[in-house]
Amino acid sequence: MSTGVTISSISDYAILGCGSVGYAVTEELVEQGKDVRIVDRDESRVESLRDQDLDARSADIREPATADLVADRDVVLILASDVESNKQAVEHIRANNENQFVVARASDPVSGDELEELGADIVINPSSVIAESALRALESGELEYNAGKLAQLLEETSNELAIVTQDSPDPDSIASAAALQAIADHLGVESDIIYLGDVGHQENRAFVNLLGIDLIQWDELEDHSVYDTVALVDHATSEEMDLTVDVIIDHNEPDADYEPEFVDIRPNVSSTSTIMTKYIQEFDMNVSEEVATALLYGIRAETLDFKRDTTPADLTAAAYLYPFANHDTLEQVESPSMSPETLDVLAEAITNRDVQGSHLVSNAGLVRDREALTQAASHLLNLEGVTTTAVFGIAEETIFLAGRSKDIRINIGKVLDDAYGEMGETAGHSTQASAEIPLGIFTGIEISEDTRDTLLELTEEAVKRTLFDAMGVDGSEGSNGS
């Protein structure tokens, strides 16, 4: 039976030691039309192989003469169960021909290192291969079990399924919700995608509009009681909704304590979109262009186009989605038009930038669109010599700050937590983070037209000094990076 592994265009192979492993490899190579020569010291085994019309030779693989028997082979696989015999065979083959590609069987990591030192190009440890195969089978079995359990729970929905995203959903959360909605539709279950905050970032708004994803704001719903099943995707909360959570699917542990009937949390992948792609595959659905595009963008956004914390699972999910996605739409999502508000915030941030070494901090003043701060921080990261940015502004008697970093020595999430964790709320990780600090902590002054300029001056001085201290730089002598 074929393993599904396709061998390269090389045609000539030799198998030294044709026990159970060697014979399994021989079968696969012959099935793929390869020319295989077998060498084994067991004459009865060799005779049996010849009866199957295989090119089998009787010889001891420990002897130097064996190297001559396989000198015309491009690839030599040394697969005897006796590792000492395999070592001698590698030595003789390398002494006879330095150009042959040699694969050797080890019994443990130590013998594997020894075989590599003797000249083996690839070393195979059967116990490791079996362990990896067992883990893959376990993962596949768990996914099949989870998919069945999820299907059963969703199909028990009497009225409608509520799929709840992050309060202000990002691409991963939106894409994951769209995928779960597609699965629900596949199972004949009606559902709505719900969020509690706002879709603020321009890329996120473009993402939703271009793909035609229908999101409903919780406060705009007239009747909340229609939802008898509730699913949280990608680190959502439901405290304001007063609904029992039935499903959680996420790549991060939730902040709140829930006791749902179904939980699939996988911190070993970088996006919830990766998890949902696996479910799409397990349900054997025809993934729509819109859902495939959304999931692919969700994975790319979470991994910074596969440059941050990318796992093999993220890559295989992206590879599956790639042919189904609309790449013109992806390009439009990634390059949305900039709103006048965002342009104003960016202009203010550029004018007020303070650069210390490769660290930039800027005050964007009073802002209406908080999401414009994150876009300004991202744009300023493109300035020459700048590796870390932080842009802050005042809205609703709160200081909002967005940080970005491409410096591998800095964890911007930790920097903001060190600077403002005790004063307000911070969130994020090594490359992007945010903070919200009550304005009164810094000033104690009530906002009015008369105090506006004073507030901005006091805030700028306090926020910048605290942030530069947390970054480990002296903010006393700043420049605008000119």
Side-chain angles (χ1 to χ4, degrees):
M1 178 184 289
S2 174
T3 62
V5 177
T6 302
I7 310 301
S8 73
S9 58
I10 295 172
S11 298
D12 300 326
Y13 293 79
I15 305 288
L16 304 190
C18 196
S20 58
V21 175
Y23 185 73
V25 174
T26 298
E27 275 194 312
E28 187 65 39
L29 290 171
V30 170
E31 187 172 326
Q32 296 193 25
K34 306 301 182 181
D35 181 5
V36 182
R37 180 173 301 157
I38 304 163
V39 179
D40 195 282
R41 65 181 178 179
D42 187 328
E43 293 186 5
S44 62
R45 184 180 295 159
V46 169
E47 200 62 42
S48 174
L49 293 168
R50 286 174 179 168
D51 290 341
Q52 300 175 52
D53 293 327
L54 295 171
D55 178 6
R57 314 286 177 91
S58 179
D60 190 335
I61 68 171
R62 297 173 295 182
E63 298 297 326
T66 301
D68 294 326
L69 284 176
V70 298
D72 62 336
R73 306 281 101 176
D74 295 313
V75 179
V76 180
L77 297 102
I78 306 169
L79 302 175
S81 57
D82 179 25
V83 176
E84 292 304 317
S85 297
N86 292 347
K87 291 178 187 177
Q88 293 178 55
V90 171
E91 276 190 288
H92 298 320
I93 287 168
R94 274 292 171 250
N96 192 56
N97 187 334
E98 293 184 356
N99 297 320
Q100 286 176 297
F101 193 81
V102 177
V103 179
R105 174 180 174 179
S107 60
D108 52 50
V110 174
S111 62
D113 292 341
E114 292 171 345
L115 286 163
E116 285 184 351
E117 290 174 5
L118 290 169
D121 294 294
I122 292 180
V123 172
I124 300 171
N125 188 340
S127 60
S128 298
V129 173
I130 292 170
E132 290 173 6
S133 178
L135 288 172
R136 284 196 298 271
L138 176 62
E139 181 182 8
S140 176
E142 285 182 336
L143 181 60
E144 182 180 357
Y145 172 78
N146 282 343
K149 187 176 178 181
L150 178 62
Q152 181 180 2
L153 192 152
L154 294 182
E155 287 173 336
E156 290 173 355
T157 301
S158 301
N159 295 321
E160 288 190 47
L161 164 70
I163 303 171
V164 187
T165 69
Q166 295 176 2
D167 285 358
S168 298
D170 64 9
D172 188 32
S173 188
I174 296 167
S176 302
L180 186 56
Q181 187 173 52
I183 290 171
D185 184 63
H186 177 72
L187 297 172
V189 177
E190 292 188 16
S191 64
D192 289 327
I193 301 174
I194 297 168
Y195 66 102
L196 276 75
D198 58 87
V199 183
H201 198 292
Q202 285 174 202
E203 281 189 21
N204 298 344
R205 291 196 292 267
F207 179 63
V208 169
N209 294 334
L210 287 168
L211 293 174
I213 300 172
D214 188 15
L215 273 66
I216 302 174
Q217 221 284 341
W218 176 252
D219 293 335
E220 295 176 2
L221 287 166
E222 294 182 3
D223 184 7
H224 297 157
S225 65
V226 297
Y227 303 111
D228 53 337
T229 304
V230 177
L232 307 186
V233 289
D234 196 41
H235 216 58
T237 60
S238 70
E239 294 175 0
E240 297 177 34
M241 297 174 60
D242 193 28
L243 293 175
T244 301
V245 176
D246 303 289
V247 175
I248 293 180
I249 303 175
D250 205 338
H251 71 110
N252 290 311
E253 295 286 348
D255 291 332
D257 292 328
Y258 300 109
E259 295 182 0
E261 190 173 337
F262 181 89
V263 179
D264 190 348
I265 298 173
R266 305 189 210 177
N268 60 327
V269 300
S270 294
S271 73
T272 307
S273 293
T274 297
I275 302 171
M276 295 311 303
T277 300
K278 300 297 183 185
Y279 278 110
I280 292 282
Q281 292 175 282
E282 185 61 35
F283 281 106
D284 197 22
M285 297 166 49
N286 291 322
V287 60
S288 69
E289 181 179 272
E290 292 77 18
V291 171
T293 305
L295 288 170
L296 181 56
Y297 184 62
I299 296 170
R300 286 173 52 174
E302 285 298 292
T303 61
L304 291 183
D305 257 342
F306 311 109
K307 295 191 288 288
R308 177 185 72 199
D309 301 333
T310 309
T311 70
D314 301 315
L315 293 172
T316 55
Y320 168 77
L321 296 165
Y322 190 87
F324 303 112
N326 186 318
H327 298 278
D328 290 336
T329 299
L330 280 175
E331 187 174 345
Q332 292 180 67
V333 170
E334 291 169 340
S335 305
S337 56
M338 186 175 290
S339 70
E341 165 70 5
T342 301
L343 192 60
D344 289 343
V345 170
L346 179 58
E348 193 77 12
I350 291 172
T351 302
N352 295 332
R353 69 191 185 277
D354 187 349
V355 181
Q356 295 292 325
S358 62
H359 308 303
L360 180 152
V361 178
S362 185
N363 180 8
L366 298 175
V367 297
R368 293 188 300 275
D369 183 0
R370 289 176 284 161
E371 291 295 332
L373 297 171
T374 65
Q375 290 172 274
S378 296
H379 280 291
L380 290 172
L381 199 60
N382 294 320
L383 288 177
E384 184 177 356
V386 172
T387 62
T388 303
T389 62
V391 179
F392 62 93
I394 301 173
E396 302 167 6
E397 298 190 8
T398 302
I399 301 165
F400 294 94
L401 187 148
R404 293 291 184 271
S405 181
K406 57 185 178 183
D407 188 338
I408 61 173
R409 299 167 300 177
I410 282 186
N411 183 322
I412 190 63
K414 187 176 185 307
V415 167
L416 294 194
D417 190 56
D418 289 343
Y420 311 115
E422 295 183 0
M423 307 177 193
E425 296 181 7
T426 63
H429 42 67
S430 60
T431 59
Q432 59 185 52
S434 62
E436 297 182 16
I437 311 116
L439 186 60
I441 286 179
F442 280 113
T443 64
I445 300 174
E446 190 173 326
I447 299 176
S448 68
E449 285 296 323
D450 295 334
T451 61
R452 178 182 181 277
D453 292 339
T454 303
L455 270 174
L456 291 177
E457 289 176 10
L458 292 172
T459 301
E460 180 171 25
E461 175 65 24
V463 172
K464 284 168 60 175
R465 184 176 64 249
T466 304
L467 189 53
F468 276 130
D469 285 346
M471 288 179 176
V473 295
D474 181 7
S476 60
E477 295 182 6
S479 74
N480 65 3
S482 300

